[in-house]
Amino acid sequence: MYRPLATSAMALILGAGPLLADVTPNEVWQNLRDGYEQMGYQVRVGSEEGSGDRLTLTDVVLTAEEETASDMTLTLPRIDLAATGDGAVRSVVEGQMVLQMRDTDPEGEEVGMTLTLDAPGNETLSSGTADEMQHSFVMPTLVLEGRALDDTNEVPVTATLTNVEGTQTTATAADGSATQTYQGSADMLEMQVSATGPAATMPEDEATGDAAPEGGADATAPADGDTDTAIDSFDATVRISDLTLEGEGTSPAGEITFGNQPAAALEAGASGAGRFAMGAIAGSFTSATTGLEGEDATASGEFTAASGALAVSMSAEGLTYEGSATDMATQMTSSGMPFPISYAAALNSFRLAMPVVASEEEQPFALRYALEGLTLDDAIWQALDPEAALPRDPASLTLDLDGQTILSQNFMDPTFADGTQTGPDGQPQMPFLPRSLSINDLSLDAVGASVQMSGDLTFGDDPSQPVGTITGLFSGIDTLLDSLAAMGVVPQDQLMAPRMMMAMFARPVEGNPDQLQTEIEFREGGSVFANGQQIQ
């Protein structure tokens, strides 16, 4: 059975939570082991020593089942569990943990990474009863060092979390189902990426027009002993302060879990939700590349944000994924640009909601995006509009859609994105079949002009022939065209064409000559009318 790496990692990490609670070290470990095996993982222990109040495990290895296409192995060199004498169990992971993930992409190439984790001073205290336990953990530092599986490029990543702490509470019902809540925090996350690899320069014989040597030439693979091969590099640093994480989850009773049968687990009642908040964010990067013809290029930049947030939830009702960042600013320079690029925005946010379990019934979906207070640096304006003909007020963009759709294939099905599902006629079938769409708000406000659109559409078996009406209000368009003509962007003698086009789709608002309105009507059979006149 195919299992994506992300799904496996989530199940492996979150699956430990409900099983860390019991009254003795042996019972804690046995419950932990049983839980991983129920999730579809094999557990091997090099040695197991102790009994009663103490238990020491060495060379603990968790792997995905052999028949899975993806492969993940988590190695913990040593786990010490000891009763504290007051009904709690203290667990410590000693040594460096290693997480290896391997998979095959659609082109048949092996992908993955190796990640080492060091958590000196880590400690988890589990207390309560077998049916309801609380686990409190602390890690003064957590250092992660990773390297992608790549025979050509070097992509090492290092991340350090400081003052990590949190709690997790689990409860097991009489039928075997479990619920959990968790919360955690870290003072700071610092991450560095330093990637290098051979540049994609053009082979000398190809650049000069000479015939390539027999067997061809690989521009990206240096010959043995060739020390003059051009190397591309990329270095980045990110700092995030005041991280917090909270969430909850539910696991159904039985052998079906999100790790081995995600769709069935969701239908049985599995659910999860997590919220991740960040304080100040700051980062920088530099890059150096060599082009196909040997030309060198460099770039550098910095970015900041006052705060950020991410949230995700999944259940049989659907998947939601949303995030936001506030008070963002970006500056970038490049040898290929005549001037630095600098821009800022007050808010950037998004939200996606969609069904994940296939059903013949209609299910809701939604998509929202907002960009508010976008401003450009004076250097950009000077290049685009040296005479200051255009207003430079902050720009904004809003997209707010929702509707109903039929999902004919489980979203967690590994063939969902392959396009291999076929209908009764043997033809490829889209897993999403829209039934209705509401454009609650589609608006753009920039350079003195604005657009606002809304409407409702319904769909039959042919999504290309909707039925419904979309209305729009346009402001400042005529003034913007005059400004563009004054700037020389649009020749004065060519203004007639866009104005005639607008007249076909829009009409002036009574009493306000600088505003236009339109009503686009989609009718049965595929005909389209603009302001009552048929255009298709």
Side-chain angles (χ1 to χ4, degrees):
M1 180 187 68
Y2 177 89
R3 174 163 44 209
L5 289 176
T7 301
S8 298
M10 181 181 295
L12 179 62
I13 295 170
L14 298 183
L19 303 167
L20 287 175
D22 218 315
V23 292
T24 70
N26 282 284
E27 290 171 327
V28 170
W29 169 241
Q30 187 59 53
N31 285 337
L32 176 61
R33 180 169 189 157
D34 290 344
Y36 280 131
E37 290 176 345
Q38 290 170 3
M39 291 165 52
Y41 293 93
Q42 297 177 342
V43 181
R44 301 195 309 271
V45 180
S47 65
E48 184 174 337
E49 298 179 359
S51 61
D53 291 344
R54 290 186 177 275
L55 180 63
T56 298
L57 309 167
T58 58
D59 298 328
V60 179
V61 180
L62 288 77
T63 60
E65 292 182 345
E66 294 181 358
E67 64 267 20
T68 60
S70 60
D71 173 53
M72 179 165 50
T73 302
L74 175 64
T75 303
L76 300 89
R78 175 175 172 141
I79 306 175
D80 290 326
L81 303 94
T84 61
D86 57 0
V89 173
R90 178 177 180 267
S91 304
V92 175
V93 178
E94 300 285 358
Q96 185 180 77
M97 297 166 278
V98 179
L99 176 64
Q100 292 183 321
M101 296 183 290
R102 299 288 185 268
D103 206 346
T104 303
D105 65 16
E107 286 73 34
E109 296 292 330
E110 191 177 10
V111 296
M113 67 175 298
T114 298
L115 185 69
T116 62
L117 301 90
D118 290 281
N122 74 89
E123 177 183 278
T124 299
L125 287 176
S126 302
S127 61
T129 67
D131 294 330
E132 186 169 352
M133 298 290 293
Q134 183 179 78
H135 321 284
S136 300
F137 61 89
V138 294
M139 286 181 280
T141 60
L142 175 60
V143 180
L144 302 89
E145 295 185 352
R147 186 175 298 275
L149 177 65
D150 195 320
D151 294 333
T152 303
N153 303 294
E154 293 290 330
V155 192
V157 178
T158 301
T160 302
L161 285 157
T162 56
N163 292 332
V164 180
E165 61 181 34
T167 60
Q168 182 175 22
T169 301
T170 65
T172 303
D175 64 356
S177 61
T179 60
Q180 60 178 303
T181 60
Y182 54 91
Q183 59 183 15
S185 64
D187 288 351
M188 180 69 67
L189 167 63
E190 297 181 274
M191 184 170 64
Q192 297 84 36
V193 180
S194 182
T196 59
T201 53
M202 184 180 297
E204 182 176 353
D205 56 283
E206 186 174 332
T208 59
D210 297 335
E214 184 177 355
D218 185 350
T220 65
D224 292 341
D226 185 358
T227 59
D228 296 327
T229 300
I231 298 295
D232 290 345
S233 65
F234 177 83
D235 295 279
T237 301
V238 179
R239 289 172 55 90
I240 305 175
S241 63
D242 301 325
L243 296 91
T244 60
L245 174 67
E246 61 179 15
E248 58 276 337
T250 300
S251 301
E255 297 182 358
I256 295 177
T257 69
F258 190 82
N260 55 36
Q261 298 183 51
L266 291 172
E267 292 181 287
S271 65
R275 294 165 292 279
F276 183 49
M278 299 161 279
I281 304 167
S284 61
F285 73 91
T286 60
S287 69
T289 61
T290 301
L292 291 175
E293 298 182 358
E295 70 278 14
D296 293 330
T298 60
S300 63
E302 298 179 350
F303 57 91
T304 60
S307 64
L310 285 172
V312 62
S313 65
M314 183 181 290
S315 69
E317 301 299 319
L319 165 71
T320 61
Y321 180 53
E322 55 190 312
S324 64
T326 62
D327 296 330
M328 303 172 298
T330 300
Q331 302 86 37
M332 184 173 65
T333 60
S334 171
S335 57
M337 297 186 300
F339 52 84
I341 298 294
S342 179
Y343 59 90
L347 173 67
N348 190 5
S349 65
F350 70 92
R351 181 179 186 272
L352 170 67
M354 57 175 283
V356 293
V357 177
S359 173
E360 296 181 358
E361 302 295 327
E362 295 182 2
Q363 299 185 71
F365 70 89
L367 174 63
R368 297 186 178 96
Y369 177 78
L371 178 63
E372 299 178 5
L374 176 65
T375 57
L376 304 180
D377 184 74
D378 287 341
I380 301 177
W381 279 118
Q382 184 62 28
L384 299 176
D385 180 22
E387 301 298 327
L390 299 174
R392 301 183 179 182
D393 299 329
S396 64
L397 170 66
T398 301
L399 175 65
D400 184 355
L401 310 174
D402 63 50
Q404 297 285 326
T405 186
I406 292 179
L407 183 66
S408 60
Q409 184 180 14
N410 289 321
F411 178 70
M412 304 302 296
D413 190 322
T415 64
F416 181 87
D418 296 346
T420 57
Q421 186 184 26
T422 58
D425 57 358
Q427 297 299 314
Q429 179 176 315
M430 292 180 56
F432 278 104
L433 183 61
R435 288 304 189 189
S436 65
L437 173 66
S438 292
I439 305 174
N440 303 310
D441 187 12
L442 174 56
S443 58
L444 173 64
D445 190 345
V447 292
S450 65
V451 177
Q452 294 177 314
M453 303 189 71
S454 62
D456 296 285
L457 301 174
T458 59
F459 303 86
D461 293 332
D462 184 357
S464 66
Q465 293 188 1
V467 175
T469 302
I470 297 176
T471 60
L473 180 65
F474 310 89
S475 300
I477 303 298
D478 201 54
T479 302
L480 175 60
L481 288 174
D482 289 336
S483 298
L484 293 176
M487 295 167 56
V489 176
V490 179
Q492 188 71 38
D493 58 356
Q494 295 184 15
L495 285 180
M496 184 63 68
R499 286 190 165 122
M500 290 180 62
M501 183 66 67
M502 287 192 302
M504 292 176 58
F505 292 95
R507 60 180 184 273
V509 175
E510 186 176 352
N512 193 337
D514 201 32
Q515 279 192 332
L516 299 172
Q517 60 186 1
T518 187
E519 182 179 87
I520 307 297
E521 183 182 1
F522 300 86
R523 298 183 182 179
E524 297 281 356
S527 58
V528 182
F529 289 75
N531 301 316
Q533 295 189 0
Q534 187 169 2
I535 58 176
Q536 178 176 311

